[in-house]
Structures are given as C-alpha cells and as structure tokens.
Amino acid sequence: MPYTTALLVLGSAAIHFAVVPEHLREYVPFGLFFIAAGTAQVALATAILVAPNRRLLLAGSAGTAAIIALWAVSRTTGLPIGPSPGRPEAIGFNDLVCTTMEGISALLLARLATRTPRPPRPLWTAVKVIPALVPITVLTTVTVGGASNQMVYSFNASPIIPDRPSTNLQLLTEAPGSQPVKSFTLTAEVSRLGNAAAWAYNGTVPGPQLRVNQGDRLKVTLVNHLPVSTTIHWHGVPGLPAAEDGVAGVTQDAIQPGRSYTYEFVAEEPGTYWYHSHQDTGTQLTMGLYGALVVEPVGGATETRDYTVVLHKAVDANAVAVNGTTGDLHLDAGPGETVRLRIVNAFAPGMDGGPETPVLLGAPYRITALDGRDLNHPQPLGPERLPLGMGQRADLVFTMPATGVVRLVDAAEQGQTTGIQNAITSFFGGPTQRRATVTIGSGAIPTISPAELNRLPLFDLTRYGQPAEGATAGAAARPDATFSVVLDEHAGFHDGRIELLHTINGQVSPYVPPITVREGQLIRLHIVNQTGEYHPIHLHGHTLTLLDRNGARIQGSPVHLDTVLVAPHETWDVTFRADNPGIWMMHCHVLLHASMGMSMTVNYAGVSTPYEMGSRSGNMPE
Ligand code: C2O
Ligand code: CU
C-alpha cells in the first residue's frame, strides 16, 4: 500500500508540474501554486517511503483533500481570484485524472496513518506495486503528455516584421464598384430541429441557399446569436478578396456572441459554391452552420429546372440527409424538361475521410462542372458512382425522360481503415446508417440493390470530356516553384490530448511551414498521400488545375477544382496561379483530419496579418 500511495502522489505531482507553464502564462499565482503543490507532493511521496509517521500521513491526507476541495470550488462556483474570478472552469480530462488519483491517495494516506505500525518489510515487497504501477504510469504519462501539449497559445500565420514593409491583409478587400448589390442576413443561432439542437443560419440546416447573378456584389451580414464566436467562409469563390475569407485567426477575429459582421465581395464567376463557419470548424460545421451559394451565369440559368442538393449530416440522426430531408427529397420536373442538379457534398465523413458517391439513375446525364468550374465537352454518362470528397461540388445536367422519374441515390466509398481508426470513428458516432435519395419528376421509380450500386463504375475525372485547345501547352508551362505536400499520420499529443496526428510535411497545424509564393507565379504542388485515408485537399481563394494522378497526365477535359480528392496512397500534381494576394488556408476538408493537424497556409510574400490563432485570441480556424 505505501508504494501504491507514493506512486499516486507522484503521478499527481507530475500532472501539476505539467500544467505550470500554462498557468504561469494565465495567472502567475496559480502557476506558483501548482509548483508548490507538486513540490509538496514529491516530498510527501518520499516521506511515505523513507520515513512514514502518523502525523505526516494525516497531514498529507488532509492537504490532498484540501487540493481536491479547491478544485471542486473552481469547477462549480468558481474561485474568487484568478483570470476569471467567480466563473467556474470547465472540467477537463487532465484535472479529472489528477483529482481521481488524489482522491484515492487521500484515502490511502488516511488508511496508512490509522493502521498499527508494522515492522519494516524487506524491499522485495515492492513488487506488490506492479499491478498498480502499470495503469498509474500509463494514465500519468498520457495526462502529462496532454497537459504539456496544450492548444497553441498564440500563433500568427504571417506577422508584421519590423523594418520589412508589408501589406496588411485587412486592406485586401473588394474594390468599390457599381455592381448590383445583393444583400443577405444570416443569423447564426441555436435551433431546435426535430429532436435535436442544431446551430443553424436563419433556423434551417442547411442554411438558406444564396442565389445571385454573375457580377453581383454580395453584402452578407452575419449576426451571431450563438453562445460561441463564429465566422463565415466562402468556399471556392474565385477571386474572393483575402480580407473576406472568413478564417478566424488568419483573416479576421471570430465574431463574438451578440455581434455582427458584414462580408462583401463580387461574384465574378458563375458556379456552385458553398459557405460555412471557419471558427472551430469541426464543431460548428457539424452542428449545422453551412449552406449553398449559387452564382448564375449572365443571362440566367440555362436549364428549365435548376436545383441545388446539399448532402449533409442529418441533425438528429447518424445519416446522410439532402437539403434537410433524411428520407426522399422530391423535386418537380416534366418530361422533356432540362434539369441542372447542383450537388454539394457537405457531409463530414468519419476517420477514413471517404467521399460520398451519388449515382444518377433514369436518364443519361453530363457532368458539366466540378467545384463550380465548367468542363470541356462533357459526354453523356450512364449510371456511375460519382466520388465527391467533403467540400466538393458537381453539376449534373440531363433531360427528363418521356416517362418515369430520375433518381439520385447516395452511396459512399471507404478508405482503408485500421481497427484503431474504426474505434475512433465509432467514438465519433459510428458508421453512417442511412442515406437519402432525391426523386425528380413523377412516375415509375428505377430501383437498384445496394450490391448493384456498389458494382457500378466509379466516375474518373482524369479521362472525361475533351482536352481544350492549348490546354496541353498550358499544362506543360513551367512552374515558377514546386512544393511537396506530404500527408501522413501518427499517434502523438496535440491540443491537450493524445491523438492520431494528421501531418503535412511531418508537422501539425499551426507549425506546418507555410508555402510562400509571389504574385503572378505559377505554383506546382506535388501532393503525396501516405495514408490509407481520403484527403480532400482544399486551397482557399485559388483554382487548382489537375496535371497528373500517380504520375500519369490527365487525358480528358482540363479539370479546375478548389478541392482535390486525394485517395489512399495516391499522388497528385496540380498547379495554381498565384493571382490573389493574401494568406490562404490549405487543409484537408475532412474536419477530423484538419482538427488533428492537417492544415497549413499559403502566404504571399509581403502580406502580413494582425490576427492570431490560439487560446489567447480564441480564434480556432480548424
Ligand atoms: Cu470549406 Cu477552409 O474550407
Ligand atoms: Cu484528410
């Protein structure tokens, strides 16, 4: 018993020491308190083993109980002093482990103090501690590792450097102009939808579709009625000014509860885009903060029917929903009418990162655009599974048949996952159970069994449509700079806990060295996926042009995307023109992966930001 007690006391001492730096930064007296507590505990543990006596053991037990009482007050009513006096702190894993160990040791100390002294026993009796040694050591190590790898305190993606002139990102706004103004208000609020609470824009998940014309000037006011701070990012919009990108801690401070903020930009290119929160994205997007943004071409929609279908996580079920419907979504269209279906994949997948693979049944169709960018001479397709990574979009165009309906059936692809990854996925809610469908028109419904569905070919964007004139020349253009982007994963400590770190070039966000570019350069990215997972890699503010997959040049239409789906162990070479000065996020759009570190920035030389991410500012872009 003395050895186990000493071990527990030492364990809590180690945890106290691990949190000292964090507390010193926040409030010096607390830091000093933890140094004192840790030191006293080391002394106590030594005394238990070397020179135990009743008074000391009782004092140790009482002292430990006092620390626990202090902790209980800080977590319930809040301490009267400190960085936020009178406000209770959140209970975390680290302090829970520490307090539990202290609770047990306080009891053991009291027990040791009250039992009749025995003659000293030989040292070999120490082996009896082994059963307790393993769990206590593991728990202490994990907790100390987490506590000493807290979320970054303050990090600036491109600080102002004295004596080096730079452009403040805040100045990179939309230039004034006489474009027709379209104004919208998006109120982010807690909403009850069905049986669940969601965070929603204007009370709906997805948020309202914003539909504008090419050339419109959008003014979107975000009103924050959430209990937390938030932002809006305009995913995929070409030419978006850097100051309007909505990334907390990079292009703005997150908007505090009760406040509002207006974004302004011109919708230069027609296409299917979307918007979502970019503050604590993994949480806020999953809670429901996203919606579609459609920019119609000059002259209006080209098809008789123009529909947007957003695939997303159902608010109250572990299922894929479409436009808020978990069952079948019905859309009207008559025989002979042309239909454009704009599919947005906003569904956050599990750890394997797999894409949704919707299938269109009942009519031949063309995929006319990917990520809002048109394809060249797309030919008609039969039923195929269309892989759409999280964040990607596809426009499907077809003519309604003389009889019967056209149907969109959602399926999914899975990465090569291991037992550990599956365990993590089930921790986050388990594999998806139900998938929604979309039925267009009325009449006989084409049916397909899940087995047949899974046997359908996968659409291959590397050999679809026709090469464009001069495109080969364009692809052969020599890049001004090439960067490798190596995606990998390994276990480690991050944000205060043990995690499956998702790395870029061996580092986790925000410590991944940025890619630095100059305006006008043609940049080539060599993206290597060393994992068995899918990684839809999204670059803000730019258009990626696909060159090679696994070293083989793409053969069909030029493909321009803002999010490239990198399948397990694939390699992609892509280029982009550095034509939009700013500081731009580039990250995996699987939110779990991004929050585990797979995120970085592309920085234009000479652009700085006054904003910082980390626990000090509360800006958490992932
Ligand atoms: Cu759609 Cu950085 O995000
Ligand atoms: Cu990923």
Side-chain angles (χ1 to χ4, degrees):
M1 192 153 77
Y3 294 108
T4 308
T5 313
L7 205 56
L8 285 167
V9 173
L10 277 180
S12 24
I15 297 170
H16 283 154
F17 284 129
V19 298
V20 164
E22 193 198 345
H23 283 99
L24 277 178
R25 212 165 42 207
E26 262 175 32
Y27 186 65
V28 176
F30 283 179
L32 299 176
F33 169 79
F34 281 109
I35 294 177
T39 312
Q41 284 171 318
V42 172
L44 176 64
T46 319
I48 294 169
L49 297 177
V50 187
N53 71 64
R54 186 164 304 205
R55 283 244 300 281
L56 180 99
L57 293 170
L58 279 179
S61 179
T64 308
I67 296 183
I68 297 174
L70 210 55
W71 174 82
V73 172
S74 74
R75 295 317 192 260
T76 48
T77 57
L79 294 169
I81 53 161
S84 49
R87 248 198 289 140
E89 280 178 65
I91 297 178
F93 176 77
N94 300 339
D95 52 280
L96 213 53
V97 170
C98 190
T99 307
T100 309
M101 299 204 324
E102 283 168 342
I104 301 171
S105 64
L107 294 175
L108 294 180
L109 283 162
R111 185 75 215 289
L112 284 173
T114 49
R115 78 179 181 184
T116 40
R118 290 194 217 149
R121 284 165 307 167
L123 197 59
W124 69 263
T125 55
V127 298
K128 288 203 281 185
V129 82
I130 288 175
L133 182 70
V134 177
I136 295 177
T137 312
V138 169
L139 214 52
T140 306
T141 312
V142 168
T143 311
V144 167
S148 40
N149 288 273
Q150 288 299 336
M151 174 189 283
V152 59
Y153 178 61
S154 153
F155 186 88
N156 184 312
S158 184
I160 297 169
I161 298 169
D163 300 328
R164 210 186 285 170
S166 63
T167 305
N168 184 334
L169 178 138
Q170 288 170 308
L171 302 174
L172 301 173
T173 54
E174 190 69 73
S178 56
Q179 298 88 352
V181 172
K182 291 273 169 69
S183 298
F184 300 94
T185 300
L186 293 173
T187 302
E189 58 202 355
V190 181
S191 303
R192 279 234 137 241
L193 294 173
N195 292 322
W199 289 354
Y201 293 119
N202 299 1
T204 67
V205 175
Q209 176 183 170
L210 309 184
R211 224 176 227 268
V212 301
N213 298 316
Q214 183 176 5
D216 282 348
R217 175 175 290 261
L218 279 84
K219 288 190 182 173
V220 188
T221 300
L222 163 65
V223 180
N224 185 9
H225 286 171
L226 296 170
V228 296
S229 62
T230 190
T231 67
I232 298 181
H233 164 62
W234 308 96
H235 180 124
V237 174
L240 187 79
E244 307 298 330
D245 200 35
V247 179
V250 179
T251 69
Q252 67 174 97
D253 280 326
I255 305 309
Q256 294 304 314
R259 310 217 150 228
S260 60
Y261 186 87
T262 301
Y263 296 91
E264 180 170 337
F265 57 94
V266 174
E268 281 158 16
E269 299 292 335
T272 308
Y273 310 104
W274 64 305
Y275 62 91
H276 59 78
S277 161
H278 223 304
Q279 158 74 340
D280 193 9
T281 316
T283 307
Q284 298 202 356
L285 209 148
T286 319
M287 291 294 283
L289 294 171
Y290 49 83
L293 167 63
V294 172
V295 182
E296 290 188 358
V298 170
T302 39
E303 285 72 35
T304 336
R305 307 277 183 169
D306 188 319
Y307 292 117
T308 306
V309 292
V310 180
L311 305 175
H312 63 104
K313 191 180 171 304
V315 169
D316 53 359
N318 187 14
V320 182
V322 180
N323 295 2
T325 304
T326 26
D328 184 57
L329 176 75
H330 185 264
L331 301 172
D332 286 334
E337 286 186 336
T338 54
V339 180
R340 176 179 294 248
L341 214 51
R342 302 170 182 270
I343 309 173
V344 178
N345 182 14
F347 181 80
M351 202 55 164
D352 69 292
E356 297 303 295
T357 58
V359 175
L360 195 78
L361 302 168
Y365 60 94
R366 295 169 205 270
I367 300 175
T368 60
L370 291 171
D371 282 1
R373 282 98 172 155
D374 283 350
L375 295 171
N376 188 41
H377 291 291
Q379 68 268 25
L381 292 170
E384 284 192 11
R385 292 176 295 149
L386 168 59
L388 280 184
M390 165 56 156
Q392 293 190 300
R393 289 89 61 212
D395 288 21
L396 274 49
V397 172
F398 53 89
T399 303
M400 289 299 290
T403 59
V405 302
V406 173
R407 196 153 218 245
L408 188 75
V409 180
D410 187 36
E413 273 293 282
Q414 243 163 32
Q416 307 151 4
T417 50
T418 63
I420 295 181
Q421 288 167 322
N422 291 336
I424 296 173
T425 300
S426 51
F427 177 79
F428 285 102
T432 308
Q433 281 137 16
R434 239 335 320 121
R435 325 197 81 89
T437 54
V438 180
T439 304
I440 306 125
S442 47
I445 291 178
T447 54
I448 187 163
S449 72
E452 287 171 306
L453 199 62
N454 286 326
R455 276 199 300 273
L456 289 174
L458 277 172
F459 169 73
D460 182 359
L461 50 51
T462 67
R463 41 182 75 237
Y464 182 62
Q466 282 172 23
E469 297 282 331
T472 10
R478 283 207 35 188
D480 297 299
T482 300
F483 297 91
S484 281
V485 177
V486 179
L487 311 171
D488 212 338
E489 60 183 352
H490 65 264
F493 292 106
H494 184 228
D495 283 357
R497 56 175 179 262
I498 191 159
E499 262 186 10
L500 192 54
L501 300 184
H502 277 64
T503 59
I504 302 180
N505 298 335
Q507 304 284 331
V508 290
S509 148
Y511 304 116
V512 182
I515 287 175
T516 302
V517 305
R518 284 171 199 289
E519 188 171 359
Q521 283 185 321
L522 182 68
I523 304 297
R524 183 182 179 120
L525 301 178
H526 180 65
I527 308 172
V528 181
N529 181 0
Q530 298 190 329
T531 75
E533 302 168 344
Y534 283 86
H535 302 295
I537 298 297
H538 172 47
L539 171 60
H540 287 206
H542 294 79
T543 298
L544 301 169
T545 297
L546 304 186
L547 293 180
D548 302 343
R549 177 177 61 191
N550 298 331
R553 184 62 33 117
I554 76 158
Q555 289 173 18
S557 162
V559 182
H560 307 291
L561 305 171
D562 52 63
T563 308
V564 51
L565 180 62
V566 187
H569 302 291
E570 268 185 358
T571 298
W572 278 96
D573 285 89
V574 304
T575 59
F576 69 90
R577 180 65 68 181
D579 55 4
N580 195 5
I583 297 157
W584 301 98
M585 297 284 281
M586 184 162 80
H587 60 90
C588 178
H589 221 292
V590 174
L591 307 171
L592 280 175
H593 299 173
S595 69
M596 293 173 174
M598 201 170 267
S599 180
M600 64 180 295
T601 58
V602 171
N603 297 358
Y604 278 64
V607 177
S608 61
T609 176
Y611 304 109
E612 61 174 47
M613 31 189 146
S615 52
R616 176 163 79 179
S617 62
N619 292 321
M620 297 176 285
E622 283 98 28

